Amino acid sequence: MNTFQKNESKETLFTPVSIEGAPPRPPSPPKKSPPKICGTNYPLSIAFIVVNEFCERFSYYGMKAVLTLYFLYFLHWDEDTSTSIYHAFSSLCYFTPILGAAIADSWLGKFKVLAVIGLSLIALGTGGIKPCVAAFGGDQFEEKHAKERTKYFSIFYLSINAGSLISTFITPMLRGDIQCFGEDCYALAFGIPGLLMVIALVVFTLGSRMYKKPPPEGNIVAQVVKCIWFAISNRFKNRSGDVPKRQHWLDWATEKYPKQLILDVKALTRVLFLYIPLPMFWALLDQQGSRWTLQATRMDGNLGFFVLQPDQMQVLNPLLVLIFIPLFDLGIYRLVSKCGINFTSIRKMAVGMILACLAFAVAAVIEIKINEIAPPQVSPQAAFLQVVNLADGEVNMTVLGENNNPLLEESIKSFQKIPHYSKLHLNTKSQNLHFRMKYKNFSVYTEHFVEEKNWYSLILHGNGNNISSLMVKNEENKTTNGMTVVRFVNTLPEVVNISLGTDTAFSVGEAYGVSAYRTVETGEYPAVHCKTKDKGFYLNLGRLDFGAAYLFVITKSTSQGLQAWKMEDRTASKMSIAWQLPQYALVTAAEVMFSVTGLEFSYSQAPSSMKSVLQAAWLLTVAIGNIIVLIVAQFSGLVQWAEFVLFSCLLLVVCLIFSIMGYYYVPLTLEEIQGTEDKQTLPIQGNMINLETKKTKL
């Protein structure tokens, strides 16, 4: 009589048996352990990966450091457009990892993507590099060295920020301190990062023979998409109440797809669901290179011992990262652990979000203070006018708009210093303004064309018998890079060539010719060499302060000869750029707690077949965050401090949502991640073969 009940299943273990006729196979040689670094458990191959990442990040962040100012001052785009294009580029760089991950996992493998695609084409190559390089480094470790692998991610992040630190300090200097064709040298600032990409390729290739190269495992991205689509469509087809329900919605794919793939997709979707709130954090973090850099252009970069360029302020982020990573790993996290607090990855990321909120609140306060002391901002149907009287007597001037409505009445003495602009309200976007000037016994009427949102200088000059006026549109006055700038008016009857150093030399036309603004270094200029056709002479410009704009009028005095009359077009910035330090410290601490933790979390929660896919999904949240900034910059219409407050509040709400989601998230263990891929098999020895453990119905 059968002692087993019907349909009862038992787990039966089959022992290896000899297979007749099967050729004997030699025993597999023991695997050779990869070379280690100085007797540690760290594979030597990760040294090449880390150096490669340093060079690649130098290239990327070096180029990115000067990108916003390149748009603003070289291409002459406005601040919102420059911000939008900057974040559109950043978003594209973080969207392409999806393509890179698909190619890496399904076709070439991580190594070939890094060498062939990632390092050959910078624009698309970043998509090949980003999802692969972190995971590829993790692949070099054996499972028994999981502790060292966790520390590798901190070392990996240190290499990123070391490259970023050096590049964000050097490339702005290459841009601002070296002149190319009379302007900032953007060619050199972009060329050096390009050279570092070549070095990255060479270094990475040198370590080729040491790398542990897991083979590609099929088109994982396509399999995941098809599996999800089949599960949804199959569930929709069997929505009748007569069909038994299944434990998980992905279980509806069991008719077509293997159990292991479904388990992997389940693990993947659990993490992807947790990623939904993350883009808002990146929307704040990535504004260091756009909105925060633009804020720095309106602050005083003179620190006394060093003049900091606006785009050099970004160097604080990688510098503080290099300090904060060991501080948090060896100090703060251990202290929190000793206090009995379970500081999980989810909690670290939530705290990072709160710190980013505080950073933008501080940025908003700084912006308000800047606005209190900054010159007025241009607005629609308005223009700003400054009158410079170079005549030998007082001039009474009235500016008339349409219907002869007086817009401005002013009395200006000869060579009177007026370091402010008067606001003129226009009826349309552009119009002709009528000027009535009384000079000695003469009344002069003239007309000048002005456009909204522009700054103008009206230069008056006369010789006692008549008076003339020249309207100059100040193209550079509204955005002069936050640096010291000068321009000259030449009253002499011949061209004057002026040398403001070895690289800055220009000509000013004769008979009240006006030069464009020129960027110069802060400091004393007691003897600036000038030259006419017949002779040379020197001008004393005095001290030029950081952030100020100066107007110099070259005149001929009967007693003192040729001299320069000096007036401030724009007063020096009164707020030091050092006030940005608190917001950079807060956002960097937020990045260490959020980004470093997220890198390790993404790797630890990824099924082995989808590590690059999940890494790419993590980077995809960065891309979406940049799109959020792009949308807000183009369509919000908010003043800058209000925009900072908006981002801070949005992230605070997102942090609350993420905390609730994280509270119910149960991290996967190593056994759950491996699923059924570690099957209970016996090794092949001699003429024996493996038979898997199976559940057999009796």
Side-chain angles (χ1 to χ4, degrees), residues 18 24 70 88 90 94 134 141 164 177 216 311 412 528 579 606 617-618 629 639:
S18 178
Y70 173 75
S90 298
Y94 284 96
F141 291 87
S164 175
D177 295 347
D311 43 354
I412 309 104
V528 174
W579 283 103
W618 168 261
V629 182
V639 294

Side-chain angles (χ1 to χ4, degrees), residues 466-482:
N466 198 1
I467 188 169
S468 301
S469 62
L470 173 66
M471 182 73 83
V472 179
K473 185 178 180 180
N474 300 336
E475 298 285 353
E476 304 276 342
N477 192 56
K478 56 185 177 181
T479 52
T480 48
N481 194 358

Side-chain angles (χ1 to χ4, degrees), residues 58-77:
F58 183 105
S59 174
Y60 176 75
Y61 284 109
M63 178 203 63
K64 208 174 173 187
V66 299
L67 202 56
T68 298
L69 298 188
Y70 173 75
F71 293 150
L72 195 64
Y73 303 130
F74 191 82
L75 299 182
H76 304 293
W77 295 346

Side-chain angles (χ1 to χ4, degrees), residues 51-296:
V51 172
N52 161 76
E53 183 66 7
F54 168 84
C55 295
E56 192 271 332
R57 292 292 87 184
F58 183 105
S59 174
Y60 176 75
Y61 284 109
M63 178 203 63
K64 208 174 173 187
V66 299
L67 202 56
T68 298
L69 298 188
Y70 173 75
F71 293 150
L72 195 64
Y73 303 130
F74 191 82
L75 299 182
H76 304 293
W77 295 346
D78 59 43
E79 292 188 356
D80 287 340
T81 302
S82 299
T83 300
S84 299
I85 299 300
Y86 173 89
H87 288 283
F89 170 76
S90 298
S91 179
L92 180 62
C93 288
Y94 284 96
F95 263 124
T96 50
I98 292 294
L99 176 62
I103 297 174
D105 279 336
S106 61
W107 178 31
L108 294 178
K110 300 182 187 73
F111 171 74
K112 290 183 180 179
V113 169
L114 285 168
V116 178
I117 297 179
L119 297 173
S120 300
L121 304 171
I122 295 178
L124 294 177
T126 188
I129 295 170
K130 286 181 182 293
C132 300
V133 67
F136 185 61
D139 289 338
Q140 306 305 304
F141 291 87
E142 300 172 275
E143 285 301 327
K144 62 182 179 180
H145 298 145
K147 183 179 179 181
E148 286 80 4
R149 184 179 63 197
T150 300
K151 291 187 178 296
Y152 154 76
F153 285 105
S154 290
I155 298 171
F156 175 80
Y157 210 75
L158 280 171
S159 70
I160 292 176
N161 286 276
S164 175
L165 169 66
I166 299 173
S167 63
T168 50
F169 183 77
I170 291 178
T171 50
M173 293 177 65
L174 297 175
R175 172 194 62 79
D177 295 347
I178 299 175
Q179 296 289 309
C180 295
F181 311 106
E183 297 181 340
D184 286 351
C185 196
Y186 288 100
L188 191 59
F190 290 132
I192 296 300
L195 178 62
L196 262 292
M197 283 301 297
V198 177
I199 297 175
L201 175 61
V202 173
V203 171
F204 186 76
T205 306
L206 289 176
S208 174
R209 295 188 177 183
M210 301 182 189
Y211 297 140
K212 179 182 176 184
K213 306 169 189 176
E217 303 179 16
N219 195 334
I220 297 300
V221 174
Q223 290 183 38
V224 169
V225 173
K226 290 178 181 179
C227 179
I228 293 175
W229 175 252
F230 182 80
I232 295 173
S233 59
N234 193 30
R235 177 67 183 90
F236 182 78
K237 292 176 183 177
N238 295 278
R239 60 185 182 276
S240 172
D242 298 333
V243 180
K245 294 183 178 181
R246 301 187 183 182
Q247 187 176 6
H248 193 279
W249 63 274
L250 277 169
D251 291 335
W252 290 94
T254 53
E255 285 85 350
K256 186 175 181 180
Y257 292 94
K259 182 179 179 181
Q260 181 58 48
L261 177 63
I262 295 174
L263 289 174
D264 288 351
V265 175
K266 285 180 181 179
L268 180 68
T269 54
R270 289 175 75 252
V271 181
L272 292 182
F273 178 72
L274 201 61
Y275 281 3
I276 293 175
L278 304 190
M280 185 53 65
F281 175 84
W282 300 111
L284 276 69
L285 185 70
D286 277 5
Q287 290 188 56
Q288 296 173 75
S290 56
R291 292 303 199 192
W292 285 15
T293 297
L294 295 175
Q295 184 186 71

Side-chain angles (χ1 to χ4, degrees), residues 298-596:
R298 303 192 302 276
M299 303 177 77
D300 184 3
N302 188 357
L303 303 179
F305 59 92
F306 184 76
V307 176
L308 203 62
Q309 307 267 11
D311 43 354
Q312 271 184 318
M313 196 62 186
Q314 300 173 62
V315 79
L316 277 176
N317 176 253
L319 176 62
L320 291 174
V321 165
L322 294 174
I323 297 172
F324 284 174
I325 284 181
L327 176 64
F328 277 69
D329 281 346
L330 304 177
I332 295 177
Y333 291 159
R334 292 187 179 184
L335 182 62
V336 171
S337 179
K338 288 183 177 180
C339 292
I341 300 174
N342 184 19
F343 209 21
T344 63
S345 297
I346 302 294
R347 291 176 180 176
K348 291 177 184 176
M349 294 169 70
V351 172
M353 289 182 176
I354 295 174
L355 292 176
C357 292
L358 294 176
F360 266 67
V362 172
V365 173
I366 298 297
E367 189 69 23
I368 293 172
K369 292 296 182 182
I370 292 174
N371 292 339
E372 290 177 355
I373 60 177
Q377 299 294 313
V378 292
S379 57
Q381 294 192 359
F384 286 92
L385 178 68
Q386 177 194 54
V387 182
V388 181
N389 182 12
L390 303 182
D392 57 358
E394 184 176 351
V395 176
N396 294 308
M397 187 187 68
T398 302
V399 182
L400 303 174
E402 289 187 357
N403 302 322
N404 290 327
N405 295 323
L407 301 178
L408 176 66
E409 293 185 42
E410 202 165 22
S411 178
I412 309 104
K413 295 180 181 179
S414 177
F415 284 86
Q416 179 181 347
K417 296 182 179 181
I418 306 177
H420 69 270
Y421 285 75
S422 300
K423 189 174 184 178
L424 303 177
H425 294 279
L426 309 178
N427 295 322
T428 58
K429 291 184 177 180
S430 60
Q431 69 181 79
N432 290 316
L433 299 180
H434 303 278
F435 294 80
R436 182 174 63 200
M437 294 170 286
K438 292 183 179 181
Y439 167 65
K440 294 186 177 181
N441 297 324
F442 303 97
S443 291
V444 178
Y445 293 86
T446 187
E447 187 177 278
H448 291 288
F449 178 78
V450 297
E451 296 176 308
E452 67 174 358
K453 299 183 179 180
N454 280 292
W455 304 71
Y456 295 90
S457 290
L458 182 66
I459 299 174
L460 309 177
H461 56 92
N463 54 10
N465 298 322
N466 198 1
I467 188 169
S468 301
S469 62
L470 173 66
M471 182 73 83
V472 179
K473 185 178 180 180
N474 300 336
E475 298 285 353
E476 304 276 342
N477 192 56
K478 56 185 177 181
T479 52
T480 48
N481 194 358
M483 303 298 292
T484 305
V485 292
V486 296
R487 62 174 177 165
F488 291 82
V489 177
N490 177 22
T491 66
L492 304 180
E494 51 188 334
V495 175
V496 175
N497 296 307
I498 303 173
S499 298
L500 281 170
T502 56
D503 297 322
T504 308
F506 55 94
S507 299
V508 187
E510 72 278 6
Y512 295 94
V514 183
S515 73
Y517 280 104
R518 296 280 175 168
T519 302
V520 297
E521 294 183 3
T522 301
E524 297 285 345
Y525 288 81
V528 174
H529 183 258
C530 303
K531 186 179 180 181
T532 61
K533 185 178 180 181
D534 300 326
K535 62 177 181 179
F537 58 94
Y538 291 90
L539 295 176
N540 181 12
L541 305 186
R543 176 167 179 80
L544 305 182
D545 292 325
F546 183 86
Y550 295 94
L551 171 67
F552 292 96
V553 181
I554 303 174
T555 62
K556 187 173 184 179
S557 172
T558 55
S559 60
Q560 299 179 354
L562 295 174
Q563 61 181 8
W565 178 73
K566 178 181 180 181
M567 186 183 80
E568 282 191 357
D569 272 353
R570 185 192 67 228
T571 57
S573 176
K574 302 299 182 184
M575 192 163 193
S576 173
I577 202 171
W579 283 103
Q580 281 194 322
L581 180 59
Q583 66 198 56
Y584 271 96
L586 285 170
V587 84
T588 304
E591 180 182 3
V592 169
M593 299 193 72
F594 185 93
S595 188
V596 176

